[in-house]
Amino acid sequence: MSISMSPLSLKGAGALYLSISLILSGCGGDSSSDNPPPAAKTEPDPITNTVAADAATTGAYGVSENEYQFGRMTVVDNKNGDSYETDIHGYIQYPEGEAGPFPLVLFLHGRHGTCYDGRGIDDDDCENPIPSYRGYQYISENLASHGYAVISVDANDINDHDSSPGNGDTGALARAMLVVRHLDEFRTINQAGGNGLDNLVGKLDMSRIGIMGHSRGGEGVNQTVLYNRAQPEPHNITAVFALAPTDYNTQTVSNVNFLSLAGYCDGDVEDLMGNFATTPAATPWTTTPMQNSS
């Protein structure tokens, strides 16, 4: 089916970053974490006055979508040892009627309420769950129209169980485990089909994977880089975008194209902690939040 498009926001700018990074980085991602460092630059980039293409413009392709439910899995809190189950649920959008393979982008939403019927109701027991994973649909549709396959992950079960920073890892490892499991499932589908998605065989370019997460999802995709590298068959993650991320676990992300976007007046992640995810300890950053001058 073809889907109408909506304008992009700042989140769309991050998605555009992911798409550009996927193109530029080729196959140099996480399937091997021992890549040599790039040569030091000694000359500045040339100055140009060309105007970038409008990121909100719809691409040439129609968009197809499949919502999927791959069952349940057990995830773990890295600090307190708790474990619980989460759905392996989401949707994937991709160019309609095209052969591919398409670079793969994955979105992971942040920690929001999970039930419209009230606070404290587990989304598994809720008649009207909040579909936070659908919040990025306007971006995923646009990217798919430009030739990308885009997955958006439902992390509501983790939002129902992750704890405060004083008691556990705030769901960071659980989110990383969930992201990698989604990628595992789609790697199998890309190779041999299954789960009603035989139409995707050979259409996903698993050598070029970009991941984006917001807030605790931002910390989740940062943790994914580290967790993925420890797996027997790691995925080739070539770009990471952390949107207003938390960093309760003081992670260091390295050897991958990385962007963190912090909110100027973020009332939740108020100390802009996610900016430290790729900052060496010797760099003189300040924890003082930026103030609105108005």
Side-chain angles (χ1 to χ4, degrees), residues 221-223 225-226 229 240 251-256 258 277-278:
V221 295
N222 293 347
Q223 179 72 43
V225 174
L226 308 178
R229 288 176 182 161
V240 179
Q251 303 169 112
T252 300
V253 182
S254 61
N255 297 327
V256 67
F258 180 83
T278 58

Side-chain angles (χ1 to χ4, degrees), residues 24-289:
L24 295 180
S25 56
C27 298
D30 259 354
S31 60
S32 173
S33 58
D34 299 323
N35 296 327
K41 291 185 65 174
T42 58
E43 297 292 335
D45 292 332
I47 297 174
T48 177
N49 61 357
T50 57
V51 178
D54 183 357
T57 301
T58 301
Y61 302 118
V63 177
S64 291
E65 176 187 308
N66 295 107
E67 183 151 351
Y68 59 85
Q69 171 60 264
F70 296 152
R72 307 267 289 177
M73 66 175 289
T74 300
V75 292
V76 178
D77 186 300
N78 196 37
K79 290 185 176 178
N80 63 21
D82 288 348
S83 63
Y84 50 91
E85 287 197 341
T86 176
D87 288 323
I88 311 167
H89 171 237
Y91 71 81
I92 182 169
Q93 293 178 327
Y94 48 92
E96 184 176 44
E98 301 297 324
F102 312 114
L104 186 63
V105 176
L106 182 145
F107 292 153
L108 179 65
H109 64 80
R111 190 177 196 265
H112 311 289
T114 63
C115 182
Y116 282 121
D117 300 329
R119 290 182 175 274
I121 304 174
D122 191 297
D123 79 314
D124 291 331
D125 303 319
C126 177
E127 292 186 6
N128 299 291
I130 299 173
S132 292
Y133 69 104
R134 286 285 175 183
Y136 300 113
Q137 186 169 334
Y138 68 108
I139 306 175
S140 61
E141 290 171 355
N142 186 280
L143 285 176
S145 78
H146 286 280
Y148 293 84
V150 188
I151 296 167
S152 187
V153 171
D154 178 359
N156 269 1
D157 284 320
I158 296 175
N159 286 352
D160 285 330
H161 291 89
D162 61 348
S163 59
S164 67
N167 179 29
D169 70 356
T170 65
L173 178 59
R175 289 180 172 89
M177 295 174 71
L178 182 62
V179 168
V180 169
R181 178 61 180 273
H182 279 258
L183 294 177
D184 287 345
E185 295 286 346
F186 278 100
R187 177 163 57 192
T188 299
I189 288 168
N190 191 54
Q191 292 170 346
N195 287 302
L197 296 173
D198 291 354
N199 60 309
L200 290 178
V201 172
K203 289 192 174 183
L204 308 179
D205 185 351
M206 301 301 293
S207 72
R208 292 188 290 170
I209 300 172
I211 56 178
M212 186 281 281
H214 168 233
S215 193
R216 291 203 191 187
E219 184 165 3
V221 295
N222 293 347
Q223 179 72 43
T224 296
V225 174
L226 308 178
Y227 177 76
N228 175 64
R229 288 176 182 161
Q231 302 312 299
E233 297 183 48
H235 296 279
N236 202 58
I237 296 172
T238 60
V240 179
F241 173 47
L243 173 61
T246 59
D247 188 27
Y248 293 117
N249 296 280
T250 318
Q251 303 169 112
T252 300
V253 182
S254 61
N255 297 327
V256 67
N257 294 295
F258 180 83
L259 172 70
S260 178
L261 178 62
Y264 185 80
C265 296
D266 194 325
D268 187 10
V269 189
E270 68 281 345
D271 59 358
L272 309 184
M273 64 174 78
N275 284 350
F276 290 89
T278 58
T279 303
T283 303
W285 285 76
T286 175
T287 58
T288 304

Side-chain angles (χ1 to χ4, degrees), residues 11-25:
K11 297 175 185 176
L16 179 63
Y17 159 81
L18 276 178
S19 65
I20 293 172
S21 294
L22 286 170
I23 293 170
L24 295 180
S25 56

